Amino acid sequence: MFAFPKIHSFPPFYTQQQNSTVRENQLNEWGQLILAYCQHHRILTILPSGTAMATQEEAEIPPLFENKLIERSAAPEFRRSILNHLIHKLDRAQYVDPKQQDAGILIFWRTADEWARMLYEQIEKTGQTNSVLTVYELTQLDELAAGAEFRNMDYNMLARIVEVLVRQGKAQVLRSDDGLGRIEGVKML
Amino acid sequence: MNSFSADRDIYLKIGKSLLDRHSSELSAQLAVFQSALVNFAAENAATIKKNREFRDKFTKMCNLIGVDPLELLLFVDSSLKKTDDFYMGLAVRIVEICQSTRDINGGLISLKELHSRLQDTFTVPLQIKEEDASAALRFLDGLGKGYETLTISDQLWVKFSGPAGSGAISYDERKIYELCTFTGGFVTHRLLRDNYGWDQVRAKSVIDDMIRSGLLWVDSQGPGGQWQYWEPSWISQD
């Protein structure tokens, strides 16, 4: 059970504050709360409404942007400001597709660099460098590939992580030729 | 024994009446002296203003007999043409009034009240108009946002927010904190009206001030859509 911080029960937390210094603090608090909440529930992608989209476990998850006990809920515009703060100020989230915001928001409670290092070490440890692994193998067959940390990982998140390794010259990818260019196979170098 | 006590009573009575007469004579003399000083100031206004040495002596004399030289100069100015100096002098008085009444009115005072308080402070026969007070207020604009003139329901008000960053807590702010401790952390306009009889203007002025300085958080989702204003130390309380 995730223990919400005390501020989650503070009624004004759900109303965007007018004083700019206070608002900055408020948005930072929300940002930290989202990261802790997503980490606890292993949520990698959320909708703009705050609902978990892709999670690595199947447990019941309490709502993020509302607190029924005190009858408060953040308005849609305010949710957007909070997520924009997390994306642009704190640099811990990204739109899956900025042009299509309903496609979800990736939440980096672990940064892409941290994920990339973990993935590379896991492949190295299991002696699979230089062999081509499919996305299915990486995320579904944990005994074969990357381990529990990557099990059921959302494709969009995995793609971001692999792209980091490609930039670092540690991986090569095979992409689909259907025009979408989805990653199909990964080879660690 | 008895006669001694009676004697003492008589002596005491005589002593007291002597003292009374003495002090009433003195205050009569002082009044005469003060009015002479007023006349003197009026007659020698130009010299007082031009001649620094003369002005210093004049100021010393004023202090000795308990007359505010600023007041006298105001008086002098008003009897001539009303100059910038005159309004500047009034502005100084206005600052004093705003500061001394801030803890009572939360820094919000109607121009009408300000004018009548201003008039009351004078011991010299100086009549000022409301327009004089509002003209003097314009001289305070240069001091930043400390003194704002507002129009609220056709009436002029002066909002005094004090020196920026002053940590002093006003009477009204304290009352808000008091109410917060009863309600579990918040106030509403309605609660302020019902408990303290504050009107909308006064409540809004304090609350807005406190929001601006980060002392209150707004919550638009109170029961029935009522706005609540929360005291943030609540977050760190157990």
Side-chain angles (χ1 to χ4, degrees), chain B residues 117-160:
Chain B
R117 281 178 180 272
L118 197 55
Q119 186 64 63
D120 280 353
T121 62
F122 295 120
T123 51
V124 294
L126 168 61
Q127 290 297 321
I128 55 154
K129 299 195 207 72
E130 236 178 80
E131 297 89 81
D132 292 333
S134 85
L137 277 169
R138 282 200 296 277
F139 281 86
L140 297 173
D141 285 351
L143 298 177
K145 277 205 162 294
Y147 299 83
E148 260 177 289
T149 315
L150 320 162
T151 311
I152 302 165
S153 17
D154 292 334
Q155 252 206 310
L156 277 173
W157 295 75
V158 180
K159 175 76 190 73
F160 163 59

Side-chain angles (χ1 to χ4, degrees), chain A:
Chain A
M1 192 60 190
F2 177 62
F4 280 104
K6 188 144 192 263
I7 201 168
H8 199 255
S9 307
F10 186 49
F13 195 46
Y14 298 84
T15 299
Q16 180 154 331
Q17 294 305 303
Q18 298 160 357
N19 175 312
S20 58
T21 317
V22 172
R23 183 169 59 244
E24 189 77 7
N25 273 328
Q26 185 190 22
L27 292 173
N28 285 338
E29 289 286 342
W30 267 113
Q32 295 310 318
L33 168 62
I34 292 171
L35 294 176
Y37 168 92
C38 287
Q39 177 166 23
H40 180 90
H41 293 293
R42 299 198 69 87
I43 297 166
L44 297 172
T45 317
I46 62 172
L47 287 167
S49 66
T51 311
M53 249 179 105
T55 164
Q56 290 172 292
E57 57 177 35
E58 302 288 324
E60 199 173 318
I61 297 168
L64 172 63
F65 285 126
E66 59 179 281
N67 185 333
K68 291 204 171 71
L69 279 176
I70 57 165
E71 297 180 314
R72 293 294 188 280
S73 156
E77 320 86 73
F78 185 37
R79 294 181 190 198
R80 220 169 1 255
S81 321
I82 293 168
L83 291 169
N84 277 329
H85 189 79
L86 190 62
I87 293 170
H88 300 292
K89 271 275 170 62
L90 304 178
D91 203 18
R92 296 301 288 271
Q94 281 175 17
Y95 283 114
V96 169
D97 178 359
K99 291 189 199 80
Q100 204 198 323
Q101 303 192 347
D102 283 343
I105 298 153
L106 298 165
I107 306 294
F108 291 95
W109 42 268
R110 203 174 263 151
T111 65
D113 284 359
E114 282 165 14
W115 278 118
R117 195 170 54 246
M118 286 175 66
L119 179 61
Y120 190 81
E121 280 168 7
Q122 185 66 25
I123 301 294
E124 216 175 22
K125 206 161 71 189
T126 52
Q128 296 177 96
T129 36
N130 289 318
S131 45
V132 175
L133 298 160
T134 63
V135 169
Y136 180 81
E137 285 173 311
L138 283 172
T139 58
Q140 301 300 320
L141 305 174
D142 55 37
E143 69 277 12
L144 283 178
E149 289 288 347
F150 293 86
R151 185 162 176 81
N152 288 333
M153 182 175 265
D154 175 56
Y155 167 78
N156 292 303
M157 182 60 100
L158 186 74
R160 294 286 202 288
I161 295 165
V162 169
E163 277 157 16
V164 171
L165 290 171
V166 171
R167 269 203 305 280
Q168 292 173 346
K170 289 177 174 170
Q172 285 175 345
V173 293
L174 296 169
R175 291 187 185 269
S176 67
D177 51 11
D178 56 2
L180 294 172
R182 283 174 72 90
I183 294 170
E184 295 200 315
V186 183
K187 186 168 83 172
M188 303 293 170
L189 305 170

Side-chain angles (χ1 to χ4, degrees), chain B residues 1 3 42 45 51-52 58 64 82 87-88 106 108 123 133 135 142 149 183 191 205 209-210 218 229 237:
Chain B
M1 201 60 192
S3 78
N51 187 329
R52 173 183 287 268
F58 171 73
L64 270 175
K82 284 171 185 165
Y87 293 116
M88 205 65 97
L108 189 72
T123 51
T149 315
T183 58
L191 281 168
S205 164
D209 245 13
M210 291 179 79
V218 296
Y229 304 92
Q237 280 163 15

Side-chain angles (χ1 to χ4, degrees), chain B residues 47-186:
Chain B
T47 326
I48 291 169
K49 295 187 127 191
K50 275 201 212 103
N51 187 329
R52 173 183 287 268
E53 206 186 333
F54 194 81
R55 186 169 60 235
D56 284 350
K57 294 227 166 90
F58 171 73
T59 309
K60 264 191 204 131
M61 194 159 63
C62 286
N63 286 335
L64 270 175
I65 58 167
V67 171
D68 186 344
L70 176 66
E71 224 168 69
L72 275 181
L73 287 175
L74 278 175
F75 175 66
V76 165
D77 269 339
S78 73
S79 61
L80 306 165
K81 203 169 135 272
K82 284 171 185 165
T83 58
D84 280 3
D85 286 356
F86 171 73
Y87 293 116
M88 205 65 97
L90 281 187
V92 171
R93 272 290 156 88
I94 288 176
V95 170
E96 287 171 2
I97 292 170
C98 285
Q99 279 176 340
S100 67
T101 57
R102 180 186 154 94
D103 282 355
I104 307 158
N105 57 26
L108 189 72
I109 188 168
S110 71
L111 188 63
K112 211 173 147 213
E113 185 187 343
L114 183 63
H115 170 244
S116 97
R117 281 178 180 272
L118 197 55
Q119 186 64 63
D120 280 353
T121 62
F122 295 120
T123 51
V124 294
L126 168 61
Q127 290 297 321
I128 55 154
K129 299 195 207 72
E130 236 178 80
E131 297 89 81
D132 292 333
S134 85
L137 277 169
R138 282 200 296 277
F139 281 86
L140 297 173
D141 285 351
L143 298 177
K145 277 205 162 294
Y147 299 83
E148 260 177 289
T149 315
L150 320 162
T151 311
I152 302 165
S153 17
D154 292 334
Q155 252 206 310
L156 277 173
W157 295 75
V158 180
K159 175 76 190 73
F160 163 59
S161 28
S166 93
I169 285 188
S170 76
Y171 172 81
D172 281 8
E173 287 175 355
R174 201 160 36 238
K175 295 303 271 184
I176 286 196
Y177 283 128
E178 275 173 27
L179 199 51
C180 281
T181 61
F182 280 109
T183 58
F186 69 94

